[in-house]
Amino acid sequence: MVPPSRRPGAAAGPFALPSGTTVRFVLLIAAVTTVTALAVNSVSATIVNDADLPQTANYLDCLAAAADEAAGRRAEDPSVFVPEPFEHGCHDPRGLAEWVPSAATGCLLLVIFGVYLALPRWRIARRRYRPLTGMPELSATLAALVAETGVRARVAFLAEPLDPTIAALAFGRVGRRYVVLSGGLLALSAHDRPAFRAVVLHELAHLRNRDLDIGFVTLIVWRMCGPPVLAFAGLAFLLAPVLQGTAVVLVYAFAAQLGLLAVLVTLLSRAVLRSRELYADARVRRWAGGGDSLRRLFEGHGRGSAPQAPAGVRGGRGVTRLLRVHPTPARRLAALEDDGVLSRVGFWDLAAVGAVVAFVHQIVAQGPAGGGFRGGRLPEHVSAALAAGLLVTATGTVVWRSVARGPAPRVGAAGVGLGLGTGVVTVLKPSGLQMLVTLDGRGLSYVLPYTALLCLAGWALVRWLVTVAGAWQPVVEWARRPWLLSSLVLALAAAGLTTALAYLLSLPNLVVYAASFIAPDVPGALVLVGSTVYLLGGRLSTVLLPFLLTGALVPLLGSVLASRRRDKGLGTGFGPPKPVAPLVVRLGLPTALVAAVLNLALAVLDPLPEYDWILLLALFGLAEVGAAVWATRDDAPLRLVRGLVAVLCCGLLGALVWITLVKALTSCLPGGMPCGPLPDAGQLRVAVLAMTLTAVPAWSAFAVVDTITTARRRRRPPPPTPGPLHRPW
């Protein structure tokens, strides 16, 4: 066995995978981009694109009247075709100006870049920092600390002698970094060198963690997009009553979206700044071989390396805790005792992920000119790909860090938060609210069921990501670049789940259409279920099949690779138990053959001609459940994944064998058609369709059975351990 210290990924600790600071910063940038696009698109649609507010309001009122008229005609006669808006004389006054959002985004990036370059010199001149001269012994100590920590950047130490507090601050730009030491810290270096060392190491840890630019860019974008956007949202809310008709609803929805995004930007910026401080403490703890020096600093001096909260914010509970720039000393002490605090999966963290993903999907789907008109199909595909990539990678990284810490974490509440954040923002988008208002509120009944569906989907996604991380973790521990391998696995998962996420996010518009034009008198929950099943029936090959294959193959591939490493003696201990069932059983081949023969007998006997296909699919479904139970009868891990593999293989092989037997029976008899028993491409597509139709109910039934049997096994007392005189021969 290889010692743990020699494992390539084991020594990296909390820094092996992308940190929580990086994940939060990516979400912050996505939220800021969404704020800019939303504000620019909404303003340019009426000002830059030669369309004034009265014309836009008249157009929206015309759309509302056309929708009401079409809904009434469709309710009286379902065969009536629902006309397009322009057939009612509704003409969109907004033009197409694709350069407006791109130009605004480019200007914003240029301003941020200019402020980033000018900030260090401006700060040095404004605060009157002085070079650290006349203290050769202290300068030598600081140079030794830089060399000891392995920081490769050029670091210049400055002094702020008039500041009596114990504080330090690292700042600068790429290629030139500064660390300023306060007068109180310089005085501390004379009589408490360990505390002085801990403060300096904390600032150098920001350089080593590469989060210095993240911190200052976070402050810049918040000051540019936080309070100004919140004020703009309040102004839009106050001006909404000036308008009339449907435009009022859109302005209110626009103001609510801007306000929510401003709050998200504020909370995410604070979370980024708090997270980078905790990771800097973790780096100092690793350098010092423990947290004693920082613990003495927090307990003896009552503060770390910078002010603990923004001006006017006190306390550490409720909203004030979320607005703090630095974590409280109590939280920093808790993180020093257990760095698992850095890897916890929280409800509100994943709720923010879901909200940002939903906002990104909405804005990108509107097209280059905004407003959702003349966008084409390309923005829909791009928005789905970006949303899936952001959702899976952000959530997966957070979950993976938690799994790497030890046993499988409790993620049920966090998964519900992920779905809730996605559902609330999706339901409250302006186009959805407009449809709800203009159609006499008939679509409101779907809101709660749809939000519950997304909460269930979020819970299932997070649980599945825990399974993926657990299966791949032994492989990642041996990788030279663990973050790269984990990122590739999550990217593969995101690619497979893109169409499923796009389907879920597009359901509201489709359900509102069904509730208005097809089944206006049916309860919203039933319309949601019926629409989901009906629409899914036409998208089996693009939505459901990639979803099933991704859910089965991604964790299974990681488990196989980890098993091979254990077989080569590279694993830890004996590793988890392996499946004892033969490969043909794990692939569901025996049950597939039995189901094919029984279905052939039913086809010959034909007891119920009017239910032929129902009996065929039902028998294959029962066979798939049996195959999953048979393949997972041992105590090997990944039972649900192995069951899904058995279901898919049994369904596909059984359908192919049945088709082969039917063709052989009908075309190879004397006097029959030319013999061709092998299935062709069309029959292969039929087999895939049959497998996809039966896989979901069969796997769901197996999951229920497995949950019940697993609970019973856990309640049983463990078998007695054989002693030295009773060997298990």
Side-chain angles (χ1 to χ4, degrees):
M1 185 188 305
V2 180
S5 59
R6 294 180 57 187
R7 299 178 201 163
F15 306 101
L17 301 174
S19 66
T21 304
T22 303
V23 174
R24 293 181 176 97
F25 181 71
V26 171
L27 293 176
L28 174 65
I29 296 302
V32 169
T33 305
T34 304
V35 167
T36 306
L38 178 62
V40 171
N41 288 346
S42 301
V43 174
S44 65
T46 56
I47 298 177
V48 182
N49 295 342
D50 298 328
D52 56 12
L53 290 178
Q55 291 177 345
T56 305
N58 293 334
Y59 170 67
L60 296 176
D61 291 337
C62 182
L63 285 181
D68 288 336
E69 180 183 350
R73 294 171 58 188
R74 186 62 182 257
E76 295 175 358
D77 185 3
S79 63
V80 173
F81 175 73
V82 178
E84 295 292 337
F86 62 83
E87 297 183 22
H88 289 267
C90 304
H91 298 285
D92 194 340
R94 298 170 293 184
L96 183 64
E98 299 183 4
W99 58 270
V100 175
S102 301
T105 303
C107 291
L108 177 64
L109 293 177
L110 287 177
V111 171
I112 292 175
F113 184 68
V115 174
Y116 167 77
L117 292 179
L119 183 61
R121 291 183 178 275
W122 178 81
R123 187 178 185 89
I124 292 174
R126 178 175 177 271
R127 301 298 297 268
R128 297 181 180 179
Y129 296 151
R130 297 289 182 264
L132 192 62
T133 57
M135 306 177 70
E137 182 180 355
L138 182 59
S139 299
T141 300
L142 295 174
L145 286 178
V146 173
E148 177 185 341
T149 56
V151 174
R152 299 179 181 179
R154 293 188 302 168
V155 183
F157 288 91
L158 305 175
E160 190 178 14
L162 299 181
D163 184 3
T165 63
I166 301 174
L169 177 67
F171 65 100
R173 56 176 176 82
V174 175
R176 189 61 174 172
R177 306 298 189 182
Y178 301 93
V179 176
V180 58
L181 311 178
S182 67
L185 183 60
L186 293 176
L188 183 68
S189 64
H191 61 272
D192 194 346
R193 187 56 64 91
F196 170 80
R197 174 187 172 91
V199 174
V200 176
L201 286 178
H202 177 89
E203 300 306 319
L204 294 177
H206 286 303
L207 301 178
R208 183 65 182 274
N209 291 347
R210 299 183 178 90
D211 62 15
L212 190 60
D213 296 327
I214 289 177
F216 279 91
V217 171
T218 297
L219 290 174
I220 293 171
V221 298
W222 175 76
R223 290 175 180 175
M224 293 179 61
C225 301
V229 170
L230 191 59
F232 188 52
L235 180 62
F237 185 83
L238 294 176
L239 294 179
V242 177
L243 304 175
Q244 296 179 354
T246 311
V248 178
V249 178
L250 286 182
V251 174
Y252 276 129
F254 168 72
Q257 276 197 318
L258 278 184
L260 181 56
L261 278 169
V263 172
L264 267 177
V265 168
T266 300
L267 296 181
L268 283 172
S269 64
R270 297 299 194 256
V272 169
L273 298 176
R274 291 194 303 270
S275 177
R276 65 190 289 267
E277 297 300 326
L278 294 178
Y279 278 94
D281 289 345
R283 178 73 70 176
V284 175
R285 182 175 183 269
R286 184 181 178 189
W287 283 338
D292 293 339
S293 57
L294 287 175
R295 190 177 299 107
R296 288 182 56 252
L297 181 66
F298 298 152
E299 294 175 350
H301 300 278
R303 61 192 309 162
S305 60
Q308 298 298 316
V313 177
R314 297 182 180 180
R317 296 181 180 179
V319 178
T320 58
R321 181 178 59 83
L322 298 177
L323 295 178
R324 297 178 66 93
V325 176
H326 281 63
T328 61
R331 182 168 176 80
R332 298 179 77 168
L333 287 172
L336 288 176
E337 296 293 336
D338 179 17
D339 57 7
V341 174
L342 304 177
S343 303
R344 290 178 182 172
V345 185
F347 176 90
W348 294 110
D349 286 334
L350 293 194
V353 173
V356 172
V357 166
F359 275 124
V360 169
H361 180 266
Q362 290 179 29
I363 294 300
V364 178
Q366 289 180 356
F373 54 95
R374 306 187 205 175
R377 300 290 297 177
L378 182 60
E380 297 181 8
H381 299 306
V382 174
S383 63
L386 288 177
L390 184 60
L391 178 69
V392 175
T393 53
T395 306
T397 301
V398 174
V399 169
W400 206 315
R401 290 186 58 86
S402 183
V403 171
R405 287 287 307 169
R410 296 180 179 180
V411 294
V416 173
L418 177 66
L420 185 63
T422 308
V424 169
V425 175
T426 303
V427 168
L428 296 181
K429 62 182 179 180
S431 60
L433 289 179
Q434 180 190 3
M435 295 180 69
L436 295 180
V437 173
T438 57
L439 297 174
D440 297 331
R442 284 189 292 272
L444 283 174
S445 56
Y446 89 92
V447 171
L448 290 180
Y450 175 72
T451 306
L453 174 64
L454 283 190
C455 289
L456 178 62
W459 174 84
L461 175 63
V462 174
R463 290 293 302 269
W464 179 75
L465 288 173
V466 170
T467 302
V468 171
W472 280 91
Q473 182 58 26
V475 185
V476 170
E477 287 179 355
W478 278 89
R480 294 189 178 276
R481 292 181 176 86
W483 63 270
L484 180 59
L485 180 57
S486 63
S487 300
L488 291 176
V489 174
L490 293 176
L492 177 63
L497 299 178
T498 297
T499 54
L501 178 63
Y503 173 76
L504 285 176
L505 294 180
S506 63
L507 267 181
N509 291 338
L510 303 175
V511 173
V512 169
Y513 178 88
S516 304
F517 300 117
I518 299 176
D521 299 327
V522 178
L526 296 180
V527 173
L528 176 65
V529 174
S531 301
T532 302
V533 176
Y534 175 77
L535 295 170
L536 199 58
R539 305 182 182 185
L540 293 177
S541 59
T542 58
V543 175
L544 192 56
L545 186 58
F547 172 76
L548 294 175
L549 293 178
T550 303
L553 296 181
V554 172
L556 185 63
L557 179 59
S559 178
V560 170
L561 294 178
S563 177
R564 289 184 178 180
R565 289 192 174 277
R566 287 194 297 269
D567 291 341
K568 295 179 181 179
L570 300 177
T572 303
F574 294 99
K578 295 182 179 181
V580 297
L583 181 61
V584 293
V585 173
R586 282 180 277 155
L587 295 180
L589 181 59
T591 51
L593 296 177
V594 172
V597 173
L598 291 178
N599 270 319
L600 181 63
L602 286 177
V604 173
L605 297 176
D606 199 13
L608 299 172
E610 63 274 16
Y611 299 107
D612 285 343
W613 283 103
I614 296 178
L615 291 177
L616 177 72
L617 296 177
L619 187 55
F620 275 129
L622 291 176
E624 292 168 359
V625 176
V629 174
W630 192 4
T632 59
R633 67 183 186 274
D634 50 51
D635 293 327
L638 300 179
R639 299 177 59 84
L640 295 180
V641 174
R642 291 166 54 212
L644 180 57
V645 172
V647 165
L648 295 177
C649 292
C650 176
L652 181 61
L653 294 175
L656 290 176
V657 171
W658 178 76
I659 291 173
T660 302
L661 294 176
V662 170
K663 290 190 66 175
L665 185 63
T666 57
S667 62
C668 296
L669 295 177
M673 299 177 62
C675 184
L678 295 179
D680 54 22
Q683 291 165 339
L684 179 60
R685 287 195 294 268
V686 172
V688 173
L689 176 63
M691 173 200 70
T692 309
L693 284 173
T694 56
V696 174
W699 183 82
S700 301
F702 161 72
V704 172
V705 173
D706 183 74
T707 302
I708 296 174
T709 55
T710 302
R712 289 181 178 178
R713 284 197 302 268
R714 289 176 178 176
R715 287 195 296 265
R716 294 176 184 174
T721 303
L725 300 180
H726 300 83
R727 298 178 180 177
W729 298 106

